Amino acid sequence: MASRLVLVLGDLFIPDRAPFKKLLVPGKIGQILCLGNLTDKETYDFLRQIAPDLQIVKGTFDVEAPNLPLMKVVTHGSLRIGFTHGHTIIPSADPDSLLITARHMDVDVLLWGGTHRFEAYELEGKFFVNPGTATGAMGTNWWAEEDEPTPSFCLMDVQGDVLVLYVYQLKTDANGIENVGVEKVSFRKNSGIAA
């Protein structure tokens, strides 16, 4: 079974501060799932160059696109993947509220944004992923100075009932040098996190 790489982006806000642009080249990614707050046409056009299959849901600041849906579902292999910006989930990022949303959408994987922080976990046989903010944009929540958002995005490789999640994060070392770190998490439908 052929795999398809799916790029997951959230909370872009500041397109000119996009540290990962050079990593995103046309022809490698089959689909992009954007979790809202795209905010400008130039970024939309750039993403369409990366992958013509660009799926977007409405974020809190997507005022120029009133017809975007709040939630969507795509299918890859045997996995149903739901995605939403997250501003309609109350309380925000609450695991029980996310589980209710995943059940309501009848999905195996739920992608949500709005918190500007990467998160991935399994709960009751479902996989939950927040890709964080691709540009490092601050959220509307209070942030401690040492806890500023880490720019991040996710790349999913789906084969049948297995999803391999690659998490790209821009990290700064003690000397102030920025490097992109990549972590891998695997999820298998009906058996939880594999590695």
Side-chain angles (χ1 to χ4, degrees):
M1 174 174 283
S3 67
R4 185 173 189 200
L5 292 178
V6 180
L7 177 64
V8 182
L9 297 170
D11 300 312
L12 297 168
F13 286 105
I14 310 167
D16 59 333
R17 184 172 43 164
F20 302 113
K21 260 188 168 177
K22 63 184 175 224
L23 297 177
L24 305 175
V25 294
K28 304 273 187 201
I29 296 167
Q31 182 178 59
I32 299 174
L33 305 180
C34 180
L35 310 183
N37 292 335
L38 192 56
T39 70
D40 75 330
K41 183 165 178 2
E42 291 79 20
T43 303
Y44 173 85
D45 292 340
F46 171 75
L47 294 176
R48 287 295 298 233
Q49 290 175 5
I50 301 303
D53 187 357
L54 174 59
Q55 304 290 321
I56 306 171
V57 291
K58 185 175 178 60
T60 48
F61 292 93
D62 290 320
V63 293
E64 298 295 320
N67 296 326
L68 287 174
L70 293 174
M71 299 177 177
K72 270 187 162 180
V73 176
V74 295
T75 302
H76 289 281
S78 66
L79 295 174
R80 286 179 47 85
I81 302 167
F83 59 107
T84 183
H85 172 260
H87 66 282
T88 60
I89 298 172
I90 300 174
S92 176
D94 174 69
D96 289 331
S97 297
L98 290 166
L99 183 59
I100 290 167
T101 302
R103 287 177 177 160
H104 173 75
M105 295 176 75
D106 189 28
V107 295
D108 306 299
V109 178
L110 180 65
L111 312 170
W112 89 98
T115 67
H116 299 236
R117 295 174 193 235
F118 165 74
E119 215 175 329
Y121 60 90
E122 187 265 334
L123 179 65
E124 294 190 21
K126 298 189 183 296
F127 192 43
F128 298 86
V129 177
N130 186 324
T133 169
T135 60
M138 296 295 279
T140 55
N141 300 331
W142 179 84
W143 294 83
E145 186 174 322
E146 66 278 357
D147 196 26
E148 290 186 9
T150 299
S152 61
F153 71 90
C154 297
L155 193 59
M156 298 187 309
D157 184 3
V158 182
Q159 295 184 34
D161 64 352
V162 176
L163 182 153
V164 179
L165 182 73
Y166 297 93
V167 183
Y168 292 75
Q169 293 182 310
L170 186 65
K171 309 239 179 174
T172 305
D173 68 15
N175 298 322
I177 298 172
E178 292 182 333
N179 292 299
V180 175
V182 182
E183 296 176 36
K184 176 178 144 180
V185 179
S186 296
F187 171 79
R188 180 180 299 273
K189 183 176 179 176
N190 299 323
S191 69
I193 294 179

